[in-house]
Amino acid sequence: MAMLKGVFGKLKRGLEKTRRGFVDGLRSMVTGRKLDDALIDDLEARLIQSDVGVQATRRLIERIRADYKAGKLKKGEDVLDHLKTELKAMWPEADRALAKATDGPTVILVTGVNGAGKTTSIAKLCATLRADGKSVLLGACDTFRAGAVRQLEIWADRLGVEIVRGQSGGDPAAVAFDAVNAGISRGVDVVILDTAGRLPTQNGLMDQLGKIARVAGKRIEGAPHETLLVVDATTGQNAVRQAEAFGQAAGVTGIFLAKLDGTAKGGVVIAIREATDIPVKYVGFGETPDDVEPFDPESFIDAMFALD
Amino acid sequence: MFDRLSDSFNGMFRKLSGKGQISEANVREAMEEVRTALLEADVHYDVVQSFCETVLEDAIGREVTKSLKPGQEMIGIVNERLVELLGGETQNPGIMAVSPGPTVIMMCGLQGSGKTTTCGKLAALLKKQGRKVTLVAADLQRPAAVDQLETVTQTVNQAVPKGAEAKFYGEHDKAKAYGEAVNVAVQVCKRGIDQARKDGADVAILDTAGRLHVNEELMGELRMVEKSTTPHHIFFVVDAMTGQDAVASAKAFNEKLKIDGVILTKLDSDARGGAALSVKEITGAPIRYIGVGEKIDAIETFHAERMAGRILGMGDVVSLVEKAQEEVTEEEAQKLQAKLARGEMDMNDFLKQLKTLRRMGPMKQLLGMLPGVGSAIKDLPIDEGQFDRVEAMINSMTAEERQSPKIIGPPRRRRIASGSGSEQQAVGGLVKQFDAINKISKQMAGMGAAGGMDAMRGLGAGGGMPDLGGMLRSKGSTKQVKRGVKKRKKKR
């Protein structure tokens, strides 16, 4: 319980940094109001403005409208509880933990489009794992972007973890192979592979991701055990395409929702969940490695409906 | 990029033009589709509301319902408004020249929007125009951002060898962790501009750190940079994939800095790019450039009409023609046309064409600019490797074979196949296709353009058309994709 409290406190602090006067906006929007069409329209607008997407919003709103017409929902507060229950049910507790290898290092492959925040998110993952007493080794497979390897190196230095790097312009799959090998021989608990940002339209690069994953699987049974897609919380509906495309190319097992410390609500994870079965595992909300939390639907939804 | 939005609009207009007489209710219904399309494209909710209201009013006011071609009239109105919302068709004045130099450009934006890459692209563009550029690394927050800009500068010089060498200014030792280097960037910028002045640079580009619009301290730093360097241009860099929040960040940056131009990045993604509309509406600042790829020269001037045309599925022929003009001289083009008309194109010409085409950019991007092709190819995996294989085959031919491919019989085919590492059928296919292209072009020349199109269509129906699609979806490439999928499935 104490841990949970700490978790919530941290997230809240992160949010407070950016949102002056954190109030439950939805609650204040619905409290004391009678449920009517106008309120339902307001709700619809709020969902759309949080990047929940047209399809998911329509489904949620239609359900509310039906329940309202059937007389099941009457007050503004009723609709809040209804919506929260509905949204929370989208992410069952069970699929939020990181997968573990049965034998040898657990391999986590980190993917995403350009500028999503992969490297910073990896630093956060490192910090969490280190706090759990796990030893970590990083594989710098982004051999494409200028400065990417150096960026990861600086983080590795700051966090005191080992790193395996390749040549700039070299084969990322070869770096992955070396990193996994190093992870085995040095007996680390977790190997995290950083990859270059790529767009779902770049077929060649998307195929390359599959190759990196296969190479890791050759050395350790079932690797990568976890393939995370880093999604920038400011992303719109293209994030759904990203989840689909990276899912197909590399078998994404979880979302790392980054940059939640701005004004973006990250509601697109609802659209992602609507279209795929990929769960959200972590949220990142700041620049320091400690600004990370396991995804908690309750506080996420609260924050989503907070007024700016 | 705007393909899906185009699809929605196309669907709506098809529906409208199918109806002989339409009512006001029909127009409203159609607008509902526009609304959905725009929301799905990530245009901000409020922007969508006001856009739809204006168009609806306009449509009803102009009595679209009584028009003979209501669909076309609606296209006209939506297009008109869309162009207007995107800033209208204004001339991009480019980067101003000042004397004494340098012209100072300040780049700003959120983390990961693509500032550093865009700095390089802008520098390459300016270098092509013969201007001397200094890139100043003012991002001291993100680890290795200074290194990245230094490397980018080298890339600019390698990619654009002509003109004065682009210079880099950075202070590696000043890099700090996030938030710890506040205001150091101001001094770095000043010294960078001083250095640029000493070097006689025409333009200095300041690459500032990405920051959140709600971070008061860092936004304050940006303002300090602006005050102490008085930039001639302040560009706000926005990721085309941004959602509803584009409005919030654009508004905050604009309030602090009075941005005078927007650069839209990552338009080579399949994002629908509605953020462009939102940002324009909020800031009032024109969208100047768009980033369209990984390469250093993948930057283009923004055109509202072309963009709106793209939205409406009308293609972007103008861009394509401009791209072609950059790569092919008039004389060359005429020579080739004459050869084509006589059906005398040889493998050397073909190889040259292929290489030129590929220099213009990825095939998918080029095809996407053709009217009507945009939406058709969005899910088509285009295997660029196929073009490599064709090049390899031609490279394995003798000079004689290249001049008259007809002489390629089974023994030669075997040799070419083994020389290029391809199948004999592939070589045979290439020769056949090549022959067919020559025949068609001769026919087309004989009939004039319109007749020629018919000839092509006829051939297509007969199944003998050597369509580009066939080249794109070769057996080999689909097999490879499928194989990968299977393996992954087995493993999981």
Side-chain angles (χ1 to χ4, degrees):
Chain A
M1 236 7 238
M3 204 190 83
L4 256 178
K5 234 180 176 174
V7 161
F8 187 70
K10 229 176 177 187
L11 180 59
K12 210 170 148 189
R13 272 201 306 283
L15 294 164
E16 267 165 357
K17 262 200 292 192
T18 60
R19 293 185 192 124
R20 261 167 292 128
F22 177 89
V23 278
D24 190 345
L26 185 65
R27 194 168 289 281
S28 67
M29 188 170 114
V30 299
T31 302
R33 267 176 85 175
K34 209 177 103 232
L35 187 59
D36 52 16
D37 284 329
L39 184 54
I40 294 176
D41 285 349
D42 285 352
L43 271 177
E44 186 177 9
R46 170 68 50 171
L47 287 169
I48 294 272
Q49 284 166 1
S50 309
D51 292 315
V52 171
V54 176
Q55 205 186 325
T57 299
R58 286 216 173 122
R59 187 180 63 80
L60 292 165
I61 291 295
E62 262 160 35
R63 198 81 67 82
I64 290 172
R65 231 184 266 279
D67 281 0
Y68 160 63
K69 291 222 169 97
K72 280 189 222 157
L73 301 170
K74 290 189 181 95
K75 291 182 300 182
E77 286 90 335
D78 297 344
V79 81
L80 179 81
D81 295 335
H82 168 94
L83 200 52
K84 270 197 171 172
T85 318
E86 190 113 327
L87 289 176
K88 264 198 292 184
M90 290 183 96
W91 299 283
E93 182 95 41
D95 50 37
R96 270 177 259 148
L98 276 185
K100 262 193 208 111
T102 44
D103 192 27
T106 299
V107 179
I108 304 176
L109 179 65
V110 180
T111 66
V113 297
N114 314 61
K118 284 175 296 303
T119 310
T120 309
S121 296
I122 285 173
K124 292 177 203 282
L125 271 181
C126 265
T128 322
L129 290 164
R130 297 272 292 160
D132 273 356
K134 298 262 171 26
S135 56
V136 182
L137 182 136
L138 299 177
C141 305
D142 182 355
T143 53
F144 178 78
R145 181 172 60 86
V149 172
R150 185 84 196 99
Q151 185 180 354
L152 197 67
E153 249 176 359
I154 293 171
W155 278 123
D157 233 27
R158 285 183 194 167
L159 295 164
V161 299
E162 294 180 71
I163 181 166
V164 169
R165 61 191 155 249
Q167 293 291 315
S168 170
D171 178 12
V175 183
F177 190 75
D178 289 347
V180 172
N181 271 340
I184 296 171
S185 64
R186 294 179 207 176
V188 299
D189 298 317
V190 183
V191 174
I192 304 179
L193 304 174
D194 184 20
T195 60
R198 65 202 73 215
L199 298 171
T201 45
Q202 297 162 325
N203 293 315
L205 287 177
M206 293 305 284
D207 289 347
Q208 185 193 67
L209 266 190
K211 187 179 165 197
I212 295 173
R214 283 195 296 280
V215 159
K218 269 188 193 150
R219 291 295 289 130
I220 301 176
E221 179 69 27
H225 308 88
E226 197 74 70
T227 299
L228 298 180
L229 174 69
V230 179
V231 173
D232 183 333
T234 60
T235 314
Q237 299 311 301
N238 188 251
V240 179
R241 262 297 288 149
Q242 291 170 23
E244 286 169 352
F246 282 88
Q248 210 175 22
V252 172
T253 54
I255 305 278
F256 188 119
L257 186 61
K259 309 188 202 175
L260 206 54
D261 46 337
T263 46
K265 316 282 194 211
V268 73
V269 295
I270 295 172
I272 291 177
R273 190 69 201 210
E274 185 88 4
T276 71
D277 56 0
I278 304 171
V280 188
K281 300 226 165 169
Y282 285 98
V283 294
F285 48 86
E287 285 287 332
T288 79
D290 295 330
D291 297 330
V292 58
E293 293 304 343
F295 176 67
D296 170 46
E298 177 113 30
S299 48
F300 170 74
I301 293 159
D302 273 341
M304 203 176 88
F305 289 118
L307 283 181
D308 307 318
Chain B
M1 66 182 107
F2 280 123
D3 290 346
R4 268 182 277 188
L5 190 54
S6 315
D7 285 351
S8 291
F9 277 179
N10 283 341
M12 157 193 142
F13 293 131
R14 223 171 287 129
K15 232 160 106 183
L16 267 189
S17 41
K19 291 174 183 163
Q21 254 207 325
I22 58 166
S23 65
E24 212 173 289
N26 292 142
V27 179
R28 277 182 201 282
E29 194 192 319
M31 276 322 291
E32 204 38 52
E33 275 197 54
V34 175
R35 186 174 174 268
T36 305
L38 291 173
L39 286 176
E40 279 175 347
D42 294 319
V43 181
H44 190 264
Y45 185 82
D46 296 337
V47 178
V48 171
Q49 298 295 89
S50 68
F51 177 80
C52 288
E53 265 166 45
T54 335
V55 172
L56 192 62
E57 255 171 50
D58 220 4
I60 292 168
R62 290 197 212 172
E63 302 196 312
V64 162
T65 47
K66 287 184 193 152
S67 163
L68 282 174
K69 289 177 176 167
Q72 290 204 347
E73 198 137 329
M74 280 289 283
I75 288 187
I77 297 170
V78 172
N79 183 43
E80 218 173 87
R81 291 288 173 191
L82 217 48
V83 171
E84 200 180 293
L85 197 64
L86 285 163
E89 198 53 21
T90 49
Q91 198 75 41
N92 184 351
I95 305 302
M96 68 169 80
V98 295
S99 175
T103 306
V104 178
I105 302 174
M106 177 177 171
M107 307 286 261
C108 63
L110 299 174
Q111 289 100 335
S113 53
K115 284 174 298 302
T116 308
T117 306
T118 307
C119 282
K121 288 181 179 178
L122 207 51
L125 191 77
L126 289 164
K127 194 165 188 286
K128 263 191 199 166
Q129 297 169 2
R131 291 161 93 172
K132 201 170 169 185
V133 186
T134 297
L135 288 150
V136 181
D139 180 356
L140 305 169
Q141 318 261 355
R142 180 163 54 95
V146 180
D147 296 328
Q148 186 184 351
L149 192 70
E150 190 167 18
T151 312
V152 163
T153 312
Q154 287 164 9
T155 312
V156 170
N157 285 323
Q158 281 156 13
V160 189
K162 70 167 187 183
E165 188 193 354
K167 291 245 166 75
F168 164 81
Y169 181 86
E171 300 177 22
H172 289 273
D173 55 326
K174 297 293 193 307
K176 288 270 162 52
Y178 189 75
E180 284 169 16
V182 181
N183 294 341
V184 183
V186 182
Q187 300 307 319
V188 173
C189 286
K190 274 181 157 171
R191 288 193 284 267
I193 293 169
D194 283 345
Q195 187 61 47
R197 192 173 294 122
K198 271 183 217 150
D199 293 342
D202 301 311
V203 183
I205 304 176
L206 313 178
D207 181 24
T208 67
R211 62 201 77 213
L212 279 173
H213 51 288
V214 285
N215 187 325
E216 293 289 339
E217 212 179 355
L218 289 178
M219 288 303 282
E221 176 191 81
L222 266 195
R223 199 158 184 169
M224 292 268 288
V225 171
E226 189 240 353
K227 274 207 174 128
S228 58
T229 63
T230 54
H232 302 88
H233 293 285
I234 302 176
F235 288 136
F236 180 55
V237 182
V238 192
D239 185 330
M241 294 181 272
T242 314
Q244 298 280 316
D245 194 55
V247 159
S249 53
K251 198 172 166 193
F253 271 91
N254 193 42
E255 274 167 8
K256 278 277 179 327
L257 290 172
K258 279 236 129 325
I259 55 185
D260 65 352
V262 175
I263 300 180
L264 202 59
T265 62
K266 305 180 207 175
L267 270 171
D268 50 330
S269 69
D270 47 6
R272 290 171 253 177
L277 278 71
S278 307
V279 171
K280 176 69 194 60
E281 184 77 354
I282 291 298
T283 63
I287 304 170
R288 290 300 189 205
Y289 298 98
I290 54 173
V292 290
E294 298 255 359
K295 285 188 186 154
I296 201 86
D297 60 352
I299 185 168
E300 292 170 9
T301 287
F302 175 81
H303 289 280
E305 244 168 43
R306 292 183 199 173
M307 199 68 111
R310 250 170 138 135
I311 296 173
L312 296 171
M314 293 194 255
D316 189 7
V317 179
V318 190
S319 283
L320 193 61
V321 171
E322 265 178 17
K323 265 187 187 258
Q325 276 169 346
E326 266 177 40
E327 295 292 344
V328 190
T329 66
E330 184 77 7
E331 197 189 348
E332 263 181 292
Q334 271 176 3
K335 250 193 213 161
L336 184 74
Q337 204 168 10
K339 267 191 169 177
L340 271 170
R342 293 192 301 268
E344 281 173 7
M345 179 173 75
D346 64 22
M347 282 284 181
N348 285 318
D349 300 319
F350 184 66
L351 184 63
K352 205 167 158 194
Q353 288 306 302
L354 191 61
K355 282 189 168 158
T356 308
L357 201 61
R358 298 190 68 191
R359 261 206 310 276
M360 284 161 62
M363 205 47 75
K364 195 164 187 165
Q365 197 188 325
L366 295 176
L367 289 175
M369 291 178 182
L370 291 172
V373 176
S375 55
I377 63 154
K378 70 170 177 252
D379 295 320
L380 192 74
I382 292 183
D383 180 14
E384 296 276 341
Q386 177 72 9
F387 299 106
D388 290 335
R389 290 190 277 279
V390 168
E391 280 186 24
M393 282 188 250
I394 300 178
N395 285 333
S396 295
M397 293 177 189
T398 63
E400 202 190 352
E401 285 162 355
R402 287 189 209 189
Q403 257 160 28
S404 43
K406 275 188 193 127
I407 63 166
I408 298 174
R412 286 178 191 264
R413 206 174 332 170
R414 210 171 305 133
R415 196 204 73 243
I416 295 167
S418 70
S420 58
S422 44
E423 301 279 326
Q424 283 190 49
Q425 291 109 298
V427 179
L430 173 67
V431 175
K432 232 191 213 161
Q433 274 192 338
F434 179 80
D435 191 41
I437 290 175
N438 257 340
K439 271 191 192 138
I440 291 172
S441 48
K442 201 172 167 185
Q443 241 174 325
M444 276 175 79
M447 289 181 207
M453 286 311 286
D454 282 344
M456 283 184 85
R457 226 167 295 155
L459 267 169
M465 168 89 175
D467 63 328
L468 196 49
M471 266 176 92
L472 307 176
R473 284 161 297 176
S474 76
K475 266 188 200 153
S477 67
T478 36
K479 245 189 217 157
Q480 267 175 352
V481 172
K482 272 192 195 140
R483 222 180 286 144
V485 171
K486 242 189 235 159
K487 248 193 188 163
R488 268 195 300 285
K489 271 196 186 143
K490 231 189 275 168
K491 206 178 57 199
R492 286 176 74 199

